[in-house]
Amino acid sequence: MLGRSRLLAAPLLLLALFGAPAQAAPSTSDRAARVAAAGEKVTLDRVELTARPDGVLQATETITYDFGADGGTGFERAFVTRIHDTEERDRTFKVVDIRVTEPYTVTARTGSDRTVVKVKGPKASGPQTIGLTYQVQGAILPLRQGQELRWTAVGGWNVPVVEAAVTAEAGVTIRNVNCFAGAAESVIGCAEFSTANKHRRARFGQQNMLPDEYLTVVAGLPAGTTTGLPTYAERKTLKAAFTVNAATGGALAALFVLLVGGVFGLYLLRGRDKRADARHRSPVGEDGFQPPNGIRPGQVGTLIDEQADVIDVTASIIDLAVRGYLLVEEDEGRGDWTLRRLKRPISDLLPYEQILYDGLFVAGDTTKLSMLGGTFSTKLSQVRRALYEDVVKQGWFARRPDAVRTRWTLAGYILTPLSVVGTVVLAVTTNLAIIGLALIAFGLALVFLGKHMPAKTGKGSAVLADTLAFRTYLQQGKADDVPDRQRIALFSRFLPYAVVFDLVGPWAKTVETAGIEGGDNLYWYEGPAEWDLSKFAESMRVFTYTLSGAISQSRPFRH
């Protein structure tokens, strides 16, 4: 046992000597001088340890305490009750049944790694002798060929100790001994250790111990001397906090199944679109295509992705032009456009269109796109709110999509940090922190799932099915069998929908070859000189981009 302890001490001692710079230990003479100069001190701390057959140490401690000339009424002494064992656990000890000789009284306070004993009595000066008795549990460690008795017998004083003396016996031959002195869990050997009484008693000694220094004694005993076993406590480390074992793994799996099932159930109950109601399907025209009856481009865009995007508002402006409420004029070589209000009754405008129309012409009957930048954001918010209210009024959604999306996303944003805090608390107090990861994942799932929670009604799903069929036709961009003038009218009518679907390029091909007979301008769009319909696709692309940017000051297209 002695050799084993010294082998352990050697590398640690080298690390202490040649590792990170540290304050040099006081010399023997310095220690003696500091102890002698102290007003209060322990002149002798004598501890007698007896290992019982059950492994409990019976301790008798005789303390000669010098209260100095000013005198005192008591002292405190701390026992080390927790030491490092492995990365995953610490070894623990328990000090119980503490008693003191009269006229003194004793109280004990147990902390995370210390048990502090406070002795109180009548005021006295000079050296006084006080006796303590107590029992130590957990001091015996079974080894392959024996047992080890280990206990920090002396220390935890806030005054220096002139001399410490410890004896240990167990009624058997003691095989080997060792001791360590200095800071808690020091690996520096003590001054004296030996055996006596035919190797049946171990003796240890140390002189001039400074405050908060300790003397740990070790004795090797034959196998079977006691039935004592050590006690351990898991270390509160990050690795231990997230340990996966049968208990935590099972709890995590059960919680994961519960939460995943909950998320899936929420989506099925609240987020999945209802099956399309055939009663609300639009009849297919003779030519095989047409937009759903009476549905405006802005409504289409909001229905498809459940968001009232800037591009939906842009398409609504173009739709107002196509329907004769305003004229779009492309300025010559300036990269700007003029919107001109036309005299037409506005009674058939939907609420969101009325807000949009009024917002475009606040300053008069004409508006430059370049003048809208930064001034239209308030109206844009109003238009988007009105669009959300409109799709509910149409019966396509039971609740406003933006409100549903915000509610679920906000729940995720609230739950996620709370779960992080809960995980930290679990990591500090238990080894179940891994369970908190499931809650964090659930919160993040709500954040992600929130955008998918708006659910269409049966009527909304039916209209969506018709809308997607119409998009397929626009994507093909085929109208070759339609006469030029009719083709231009058809193109104009469907262009706002193409803007919503981001299909302006393919759809513009339907009028590129309309020719002179079809005219060089549209009834709702006037280009500059030398402009014809072959340039319309590029003009409309730039116009749409510029218009979206002007009303929102942000990138207009969805990704």
Side-chain angles (χ1 to χ4, degrees):
M1 182 65 210
L2 176 58
R4 177 173 173 267
S5 300
R6 291 198 182 279
L7 286 174
L8 174 63
L12 296 177
L13 179 58
L14 289 174
L15 179 62
L17 293 175
F18 301 106
Q23 184 176 2
S27 65
T28 302
S29 59
D30 288 339
R31 284 178 172 275
R34 291 168 63 176
V35 171
E40 287 189 38
K41 68 191 77 171
V42 176
T43 57
L44 176 62
D45 191 352
R46 183 183 299 278
V47 182
E48 299 176 357
L49 301 174
T50 301
R52 299 188 329 202
D54 60 0
V56 175
L57 292 186
Q58 183 65 51
T60 300
E61 184 170 359
T62 304
I63 303 165
T64 303
Y65 194 96
D66 188 350
F67 288 98
D70 295 335
T73 59
F75 55 79
E76 287 189 356
R77 151 102 151 92
F79 295 97
V80 177
T81 53
R82 185 169 184 145
I83 61 175
H84 176 75
D85 185 67
T86 67
E87 290 185 1
E88 290 78 25
R89 67 183 187 182
D90 289 333
R91 185 174 173 183
T92 60
F93 306 84
K94 183 180 289 187
V95 181
V96 298
D97 195 19
I98 305 171
R99 303 183 183 184
V100 67
T101 55
E102 295 182 352
Y104 293 92
T105 60
V106 63
T107 57
R109 182 179 72 254
T110 300
S112 60
D113 61 352
R114 298 286 191 275
T115 294
V116 179
V117 172
K118 187 173 184 179
V119 174
K120 294 285 290 184
K123 186 173 183 179
S125 60
Q128 303 292 325
T129 301
I130 300 98
L132 286 174
T133 60
Y134 48 88
Q135 296 175 4
V136 181
Q137 300 173 357
I140 301 298
L141 174 67
L143 301 175
R144 180 175 299 179
Q145 297 180 348
Q147 293 182 335
E148 177 188 83
L149 181 158
R150 175 182 289 266
W151 174 238
T152 303
V154 179
W157 295 98
N158 55 12
V159 297
V161 177
V162 178
E163 182 176 359
V166 181
T167 62
E169 58 183 50
V172 296
T173 299
I174 296 176
R175 294 181 171 183
N176 45 54
V177 293
N178 203 351
C179 60
F180 307 97
E185 301 189 51
S186 170
V187 294
I188 300 176
C190 67
E192 304 171 10
F193 57 95
S194 62
T195 59
N197 193 22
K198 297 182 179 181
H199 302 289
R200 297 174 69 87
R201 174 179 297 174
R203 299 190 303 187
F204 310 89
Q206 185 71 17
Q207 294 77 39
N208 296 324
M209 296 173 60
L210 298 179
D212 207 28
E213 289 189 338
Y214 299 85
L215 174 62
T216 299
V217 301
V218 181
L221 308 176
T225 300
T226 75
T227 59
L229 294 172
T231 54
Y232 298 98
E234 291 182 317
R235 303 191 73 190
K236 300 303 180 184
T237 63
L238 189 63
K239 180 179 179 180
F242 290 92
T243 298
V244 179
N245 51 38
T248 59
L252 179 63
L255 184 60
F256 181 78
V257 170
L258 179 64
L259 295 179
V260 169
V263 170
F264 186 67
L266 285 174
Y267 177 74
L268 291 180
L269 292 174
R270 304 296 298 272
R272 188 173 64 170
D273 293 344
K274 301 296 183 182
R275 181 172 297 180
D277 189 339
R279 294 175 300 172
H280 299 287
R281 295 297 300 267
S282 299
V284 179
E286 295 180 358
D287 52 7
F289 65 88
Q290 60 182 353
N293 290 335
I295 297 179
R296 310 284 167 79
Q299 295 173 318
V300 167
T302 306
L303 176 66
I304 289 177
D305 61 4
E306 300 162 349
Q307 298 189 64
D309 295 314
V310 174
I311 198 66
D312 302 331
V313 179
T314 299
S316 296
I317 294 175
I318 297 174
D319 185 52
L320 289 175
V322 171
R323 287 157 52 198
Y325 290 94
L326 59 91
L327 177 65
V328 180
E329 300 174 349
E330 183 177 345
D331 295 349
E332 182 74 38
R334 298 178 58 186
D336 200 359
W337 286 260
T338 299
L339 304 182
R340 189 178 302 280
R341 189 206 304 259
L342 299 178
K343 301 300 181 181
R344 177 171 176 173
I346 59 175
S347 57
D348 62 339
L349 292 182
L350 297 176
Y352 78 88
E353 293 176 319
Q354 182 68 64
I355 296 172
L356 176 60
Y357 193 60
D358 292 342
L360 290 174
F361 300 106
V362 172
D365 289 339
T366 60
T367 298
K368 292 281 189 182
L369 288 195
S370 57
M371 301 302 294
L372 285 177
T375 64
F376 196 77
S377 57
T378 301
K379 284 294 181 181
L380 176 63
S381 299
Q382 295 175 4
V383 173
R384 296 177 68 178
R385 284 196 298 269
L387 262 172
Y388 285 125
E389 293 169 358
D390 181 82
V391 293
V392 173
K393 183 179 179 180
Q394 298 295 332
W396 303 338
F397 294 89
R399 302 171 186 84
R400 282 181 47 165
D402 60 328
V404 173
R405 188 163 45 245
T406 299
R407 184 183 308 119
W408 287 103
T409 303
L410 182 61
Y413 280 128
I414 294 175
L415 179 60
T416 299
L418 288 179
S419 300
V420 171
V421 172
T423 301
V424 172
V425 172
L426 289 174
V428 172
T429 59
T430 71
N431 290 339
L432 304 175
I434 194 169
I435 296 177
L437 297 181
L439 295 175
I440 295 174
F442 182 64
L444 294 175
L446 287 181
V447 173
F448 172 77
L449 189 66
K451 62 183 179 180
H452 301 289
M453 289 305 290
K456 299 177 186 67
T457 62
K459 181 179 180 180
S461 296
V463 175
L464 176 64
D466 293 334
T467 299
L468 296 180
F470 176 54
R471 181 175 66 178
T472 300
Y473 168 76
L474 294 183
Q475 192 169 12
Q476 294 172 351
K478 294 180 179 179
D480 297 337
D481 57 341
V482 180
D484 284 352
R485 287 196 175 277
Q486 294 180 25
R487 195 190 314 171
I488 292 173
L490 181 69
F491 167 79
S492 297
R493 179 188 173 197
F494 293 166
L495 177 63
Y497 300 92
V499 171
V500 168
F501 298 140
D502 200 12
L503 296 174
V504 172
W507 185 238
K509 295 182 181 298
T510 61
V511 294
E512 282 185 355
T513 59
I516 301 300
E517 184 180 352
D520 290 337
N521 286 299
L522 302 171
Y523 65 89
W524 58 273
Y525 189 98
E526 293 185 358
E530 306 302 326
W531 184 91
D532 57 47
L533 292 179
S534 65
K535 301 181 178 66
F536 181 76
E538 177 62 17
S539 292
M540 184 51 55
R541 185 190 68 81
V542 178
F543 171 72
T544 303
Y545 186 92
T546 305
L547 176 58
S548 298
I551 64 176
S552 68
Q553 297 296 316
S554 63
R555 186 172 177 81
F557 293 105
R558 294 187 296 268
H559 294 279

